[in-house]
Amino acid sequence: MTLVSLTINRRRTPLRNATLVFVVIALVAAVFADFELIALKPWGELAKIFAGALTPKFLDAERLIEAAVTTLALALLGVMAAAMIGFALTFIYRHRAVRSVCAFLRNIHELFWALMLMQVFGLTAATGLLALVIPYSCIFAKIYSELLGETDPQPAAAIPGPVGGFTRFLFARLPDTMTQLGTYTAYRLECGIRSSTIMGFVGLPTLGFHLETAFSQGDYGGAWAILYLTYAVIATLRWWFRPRLLPIYIIAAMFILPLNSGIEMSHFIRFFTSDIVPAPLARGDGLEGFLPWITMMATEQIGPGLASTLILTQIALVLSGLVALIAVPLVSRQFGGPVSRIAGHLALVVTRSTPEYIIAFVLLLVWGPSMLPAVVALAIHNGAIVGHLTGRLADDLTLRPDAIGGFNRYTWEVLPRVYGQFLAFLFYRWEIIFRETAILGILGIHTLGFYADSAIAEFRLDRATLIIVVTGVCGMGIEAMSRRIRTRLKLTTSVEEAKES
Amino acid sequence: MAYFSLDDAQARYGGKTILRNLNLTIERGERVAILGRSGVGKTSLLNLLYRQHAEEIALVPQDFGLVRSLTVFHNIYMGQLSRHRLPYNFLNLIHPVAREVALAKRVTDRLGLTEKLFDRVGELSGGQRQRVAIGRAFYFNGPTIIADEPVSALDGARSREILKLITDQHKTVILAMHDIPLALDQVDRVVGIADGQIVLDAKTTGLNRSSLYDLGLVDD
């Protein structure tokens, strides 16, 4: 009797199964991963870095301010141009071809864009701007389209008489979406500031340039001063980023960024007709030369690069989830006292506003080159974001007054209610983690970015282009897979999720 | 040829046929109330009729179809969008033109909304929103109105007054109503729906009101 009723009551648990599958994949991947602590005194150096956080050194203020202004100007111009292009793209975004091209372009990391564009435009503002504008326009096109698509169709339908599509859009769809479009744009500006900072690591004169120098020279106090500066700029965004002031900012930014037009046309043409064309084809060796070339690329560069990128991505994805699940009780109002909560929030704010690239750079410096620093950097940054979002969701829950406390409260009352959304947030980060994993190769971990960066260093742009294209296509694949899994598991996609992507 | 005509038509909602064997003609100048219990398919019938002359009909949907972040003025002005060119419409969107404000005021005066003219619709009460939707229809100033429960959110005295305004303003009027006594005062023909079809089509004069209850047209 009991046995029978047990089998009848056994429910299918798709969320649990999905979790298990991804954990098993990560465990298998961990077998192939290389987690070695190469440095001799890994913890001593890390302690010194944290000590630097308490004693920031604001030396050479003039150069810092100059770099900060460049960083801001680049982010402002890039993000605003991208917002306008993205908005224009929403009118044609329903076409499959436009959607696919956008998906491809936005799945190539802005640092890859910067590295390639540098070959054409050199270390100029144009390189930084285009590297931001290309992927960001495509992100804006997607999110703006989704936001506009969510508006109530009733008002547009209720306009009497024959009214043109654009008028309908202007009166019945745009006004109710304006606030959300603005909020998202401000959020993207925040991301833009981080991206523009990072571009300093590949040589542009933004804050990242000084950050790299300071960290490399062991000047941790100086490095933290720069980090604090970026936190301050982003934290105060809501006070200084006003639509009314925007024209002034944009004009100022245009004066600050020297948009020199010293680009030689011949250089530009050569880039497209010869530099990025597979070398055997450019030489005219035809298929006979191309086949060995592509076989070599597939077996020696793309194959191993893609394998380690995927291994790292899967491990980092699961660890991000773990970090998030640990973070939720630290920040949610459902648990703990004010002290633990403030500490939790502080930790999450710092880890989610520090790009994984910087965290990975620092950890590589102290632990030596292996997959470990990359995995840790990805897990704490992405875990902090997912933890923050899930924690906010938990805050909104109303539990019955006599609900149990402590760990039981977390596992029985809170987690079951937010777990679906938590997975949705995490799957949304999947393609982002992949993109970041690929780019971390620049730092010396053997992911796709490592091979692309090495090829650029040898000025084999044909190889770099191929590797970057493969990265973009794989990112698209992961994005599509994530969307399918979310639909299959009936995980809703909301504006909120889009925000942190 | 009748103004509206349905010949053995059917209406579908959510993939299911909810109204069948619909035979109905309505001439210009008629005032018709569609009666029936809630959920019986009155809105679906109105949509069928609306599609026959969408270009000249002012529609008052059941949930108003208002833009919440725009003001009362803007929502009412939307009734005139089809009469003006894009630049003039755009100008009114960002800076209302005095002439249009004066015209809109004439509408809001009648609906008792003038003091709310530049309030956002999202800040209004349900009854006020309903009157804004009616105001948009008035501003269109067309020959025909189709209104789905247009006074459901208004109190007794006001609903009678507004319903009279609606019928006075338009030559042809089609209303979906569940308040039967209120409807019968303003229209000259009733169409009753029950069990997925039309069960009554009669002039209001000489109508035996108790038969409406027998036909199952009234919410219990």
Side-chain angles (χ1 to χ4, degrees):
Chain A
M1 270 303 274
T2 356
L3 260 178
V4 172
S5 65
L6 262 178
T7 43
I8 289 171
N9 287 335
R10 182 71 53 99
R11 289 269 172 82
R12 300 203 309 135
T13 47
L15 293 188
R16 195 194 61 183
N17 293 349
T19 311
L20 271 176
V21 168
F22 275 85
V23 169
V24 168
I25 293 174
L27 286 176
V28 173
V31 174
F32 296 99
D34 133 56
F35 294 134
E36 218 181 329
L37 274 180
I38 290 164
L40 289 172
K41 286 183 188 166
W43 305 109
E45 204 60 25
L46 203 59
K48 271 192 218 163
I49 289 177
F50 280 112
L54 301 174
T55 53
K57 283 189 302 218
F58 289 89
L59 299 174
D60 207 353
E62 200 179 320
R63 265 176 56 204
L64 264 194
I65 288 170
E66 202 185 313
V69 168
T70 311
T71 308
L72 261 183
L74 184 60
L76 257 169
L77 272 191
V79 173
M80 288 307 126
M84 276 187 270
I85 297 169
F87 186 77
L89 282 174
T90 60
F91 293 98
I92 51 168
Y93 200 70
R94 62 181 180 279
H95 298 292
R96 209 187 152 81
V98 178
R99 280 209 310 272
S100 306
V101 170
C102 280
F104 175 68
L105 295 180
R106 74 168 176 263
N107 267 301
I108 293 175
H109 198 281
E110 56 265 27
L111 272 191
F112 277 143
W113 284 112
L115 284 172
M116 288 306 279
L117 289 162
M118 221 173 265
Q119 310 308 317
V120 189
F121 300 112
L123 272 176
T124 59
T127 297
L129 269 180
L130 282 176
L132 268 184
V133 169
I134 297 170
Y136 275 46
S137 305
C138 300
I139 296 172
F140 274 126
K142 176 180 180 229
I143 304 292
Y144 282 175
S145 299
E146 281 175 7
L147 287 173
L148 287 165
E150 278 170 24
T151 47
D152 180 10
Q154 284 260 3
I159 298 174
V163 173
F166 187 66
T167 309
R168 260 177 221 281
F169 169 81
L170 213 54
F171 276 81
R173 291 169 81 90
L174 190 57
D176 277 348
T177 327
M178 277 296 250
T179 327
Q180 282 168 303
L181 295 181
T183 315
Y184 185 75
T185 311
Y187 165 72
R188 264 290 135 197
L189 181 63
E190 202 180 308
C191 304
I193 295 171
R194 282 198 284 265
S195 298
S196 129
T197 305
I198 293 293
M199 281 182 197
F201 279 79
V202 296
L204 288 165
T206 62
L207 282 170
F209 185 80
H210 301 286
L211 200 55
E212 190 189 14
T213 319
F215 269 125
S216 306
Q217 295 173 349
D219 172 17
Y220 301 133
W224 275 100
I226 299 168
L227 282 176
Y228 284 139
L229 197 60
T230 48
Y231 299 152
V233 168
I234 290 174
T236 54
L237 196 70
R238 71 181 81 168
W239 289 294
W240 59 263
F241 182 63
R242 294 279 164 84
R244 252 167 239 267
L245 298 174
L246 213 48
I248 300 171
Y249 290 149
I250 289 175
I251 292 168
M254 292 209 278
F255 274 105
I256 290 160
L257 282 189
L259 288 167
N260 47 359
S261 50
I263 300 147
E264 280 178 47
M265 208 53 202
S266 61
H267 204 99
F268 194 73
I269 293 168
R270 205 191 68 206
F271 177 78
F272 283 103
T273 54
S274 127
D275 286 355
I276 63 168
V277 178
L281 294 183
R283 276 198 306 268
D285 291 355
L287 204 61
E288 264 166 70
F290 179 70
L291 279 178
W293 180 85
I294 194 84
T295 317
M296 179 278 294
M297 284 303 291
T299 53
E300 289 170 27
Q301 308 216 347
I302 294 172
L306 188 58
S308 47
T309 307
L310 287 174
I311 286 173
L312 250 171
T313 303
Q314 292 314 113
I315 300 173
L317 180 70
V318 170
L319 284 183
S320 299
L322 193 64
V323 169
L325 289 180
I326 294 170
V328 169
L330 295 180
V331 294
S332 169
R333 261 188 280 134
Q334 306 283 2
F335 310 94
V339 178
S340 72
R341 222 164 32 237
I342 288 170
H345 272 299
L346 208 62
L348 286 203
V349 166
V350 170
T351 41
R352 73 168 197 270
S353 24
T354 315
E356 50 262 81
Y357 190 88
I358 293 177
I359 305 178
F361 176 81
V362 172
L363 292 179
L364 266 164
L365 223 50
V366 297
W367 289 346
S370 78
M371 285 187 175
L372 187 66
V375 160
V376 173
L378 288 162
I380 59 181
H381 176 75
N382 291 290
I385 290 171
V386 175
H388 164 72
L389 290 173
T390 315
R392 268 209 319 222
L393 219 60
D395 281 351
D396 291 341
L397 295 176
T398 327
L399 300 184
R400 64 196 155 86
D402 61 339
I404 197 160
F407 189 69
N408 282 327
R409 185 189 189 86
Y410 186 40
T411 49
W412 285 87
E413 296 281 355
V414 174
L415 212 46
R417 290 185 171 94
V418 297
Y419 197 73
Q421 200 62 33
F422 157 77
L423 278 189
F425 293 144
L426 200 57
F427 281 129
Y428 230 97
R429 302 295 307 172
W430 194 9
E431 85 238 21
I432 300 169
I433 292 176
F434 175 81
R435 219 153 47 214
E436 291 292 339
T437 308
I439 207 72
L440 288 183
I442 298 178
L443 296 173
I445 308 147
H446 289 200
T447 61
L448 284 163
F450 171 78
Y451 295 97
D453 192 41
S454 314
I456 291 172
E458 298 167 9
F459 206 71
R460 295 181 196 270
L461 299 186
D462 54 334
R463 296 183 178 187
T465 306
L466 181 70
I467 296 168
I468 290 173
V469 166
V470 168
T471 311
V473 171
C474 290
M476 278 172 83
I478 287 183
E479 191 183 329
M481 214 181 327
S482 150
R483 192 168 44 239
R484 275 187 64 167
I485 293 176
R486 275 180 284 134
T487 323
R488 178 83 59 87
L489 296 177
K490 299 192 178 68
L491 303 176
T492 48
T493 313
S494 70
V495 178
E496 202 61 351
E497 282 163 64
K499 250 191 88 166
E500 290 288 346
S501 69
Chain B
M1 181 71 187
Y3 187 28
F4 292 102
S5 91
L6 293 175
D7 182 18
D8 203 23
Q10 52 175 339
R12 299 172 66 81
Y13 185 81
K16 276 201 308 193
T17 306
I18 55 162
L19 296 174
R20 58 185 78 246
N21 308 329
L22 294 172
N23 289 295
L24 181 68
T25 55
I26 297 172
E27 301 293 340
R28 279 185 199 275
E30 279 198 280
R31 278 127 198 239
V32 184
I34 316 276
L35 304 178
R37 288 178 179 172
S38 46
V40 78
K42 298 193 288 284
T43 303
S44 302
L45 176 56
L46 290 187
N47 284 338
L48 281 181
L49 298 173
Y50 174 69
R51 263 179 250 139
Q52 296 194 346
H53 298 283
E55 68 291 340
E56 60 174 47
I57 295 172
L59 186 69
V60 183
Q62 201 164 15
D63 33 18
F64 317 147
L66 299 171
V67 183
R68 299 165 58 95
S69 40
L70 290 181
T71 66
V72 170
F73 165 78
H74 285 106
N75 273 280
I76 288 178
Y77 177 82
M78 283 170 80
Q80 282 274 353
L81 282 177
S82 60
R83 312 274 163 81
H84 302 291
R85 289 179 175 281
L86 180 61
Y88 186 74
N89 285 334
F90 185 68
L91 177 64
N92 273 288
L93 182 63
I94 54 172
H95 184 82
V97 174
R99 199 180 86 91
E100 299 293 337
V101 175
L103 287 171
K105 232 181 201 140
R106 273 200 235 163
V107 172
T108 50
D109 280 342
R110 273 176 290 168
L111 295 170
L113 277 173
T114 301
E115 61 185 81
K116 302 278 179 194
L117 193 59
F118 287 104
D119 284 11
R120 281 168 198 265
V121 162
E123 293 156 10
L124 302 184
S125 72
Q128 289 166 332
R129 286 183 201 180
Q130 191 159 44
R131 281 179 279 151
V132 177
I134 294 167
R136 179 183 57 209
F138 284 3
Y139 209 61
F140 177 62
N141 202 13
T144 308
I145 188 167
I146 289 184
D148 197 350
E149 301 284 357
V151 292
S152 58
L154 305 178
D155 58 60
R158 181 152 246 163
S159 62
R160 191 168 302 273
E161 181 191 328
I162 301 254
L163 206 56
K164 188 164 172 4
L165 276 174
I166 291 176
T167 45
D168 289 349
Q169 288 277 317
H170 299 89
K171 195 159 164 265
T172 312
V173 179
I174 302 173
L175 308 168
M177 296 282 289
H178 71 274
D179 186 336
I180 291 180
L182 193 61
L184 293 183
D185 286 349
Q186 297 297 334
V187 298
D188 32 46
R189 180 178 165 194
V190 289
V191 171
I193 309 177
D195 302 325
Q197 40 196 325
I198 294 174
V199 293
L200 169 81
D201 187 350
K203 294 268 178 238
T204 29
T205 44
L207 183 74
N208 180 0
R209 295 195 177 195
S210 65
S211 70
L212 299 176
Y213 293 88
D214 299 337
L215 284 167
L217 298 177
V218 184
D219 281 319
D220 299 317

